[in-house]
Amino acid sequence: MSEDDTRPPGRTPGASETNAGQLWTGGAATALVAALVALVGVVTARGVLHIPVLGPSRHGTLGDVSTVWMCLLSAVAALLATGLMHLLLLSTPRPGTFFGWIVALGTVAIAVRPFTTPAPLETQLATCVLNLLVGLAIGTLLSGVAASATRRRSGP
């Protein structure tokens, strides 16, 4: 009987094993960071730079409901990215590479969206930068979380 015959089905030597609990806990922490990046970005743009990002400046530094939505959507994006990373870890040969490309292209798509609105250029630029920062935070944090939650299996 060869070594291949004694290995449990689906177990390949040198394959990686993912700690799903650690991955999702890191994903939840990433969601919190993403929401806070969005909040700090809005407060900085509106309160420090006096740029009416995401809405009219008459709503003050913290803004209106769009600030809450930006924070919530940032957190949801981080959780969706965690799910994507988990799926990629389970199914693709180079999950980090695919994840990087997907997050980068998704971030660019969201970042350029403000330029499709009739908002003033400074508002478009501030929103673009804010979206880029949220995407950068999600991509870098989850890449690190996935690396920590994944280890190479040795032997059968």
Side-chain angles (χ1 to χ4, degrees), residues 91-149:
S91 63
T92 60
R94 303 236 359 213
T97 302
F98 287 106
F99 181 77
W101 272 97
I102 293 167
V103 169
L105 291 170
T107 298
V108 169
I110 296 298
V112 299
R113 191 206 169 282
F115 297 105
T116 65
T117 68
L121 182 60
E122 66 181 1
T123 298
Q124 292 172 336
L125 287 171
T127 305
C128 173
V129 169
L130 178 58
N131 290 338
L132 285 172
L133 290 174
V134 169
L136 182 64
I138 291 170
T140 57
L141 288 172
L142 283 178
S143 292
V145 165
S148 295

Side-chain angles (χ1 to χ4, degrees), residues 29-52:
T30 300
L32 177 60
V33 170
L36 290 172
V37 167
L39 180 62
V40 169
V42 170
V43 168
T44 302
R46 288 183 178 163
V48 177
L49 302 174
H50 305 293
I51 298 172

Side-chain angles (χ1 to χ4, degrees), residues 8-120:
R11 293 261 173 144
T12 306
S16 60
E17 196 169 84
T18 301
N19 181 334
Q22 190 176 15
L23 178 67
W24 282 96
T25 302
T30 300
L32 177 60
V33 170
L36 290 172
V37 167
L39 180 62
V40 169
V42 170
V43 168
T44 302
R46 288 183 178 163
V48 177
L49 302 174
H50 305 293
I51 298 172
V53 65
L54 300 175
S57 57
R58 70 178 177 272
H59 293 293
T61 300
L62 288 178
D64 57 3
V65 72
S66 63
T67 302
V68 173
W69 278 112
M70 177 66 177
C71 294
L72 287 175
L73 288 174
S74 297
V76 167
L79 294 174
L80 288 172
T82 303
L84 172 66
M85 177 58 93
H86 197 178
L87 178 66
L88 292 172
L89 286 168
L90 296 173
S91 63
T92 60
R94 303 236 359 213
T97 302
F98 287 106
F99 181 77
W101 272 97
I102 293 167
V103 169
L105 291 170
T107 298
V108 169
I110 296 298
V112 299
R113 191 206 169 282
F115 297 105
T116 65
T117 68

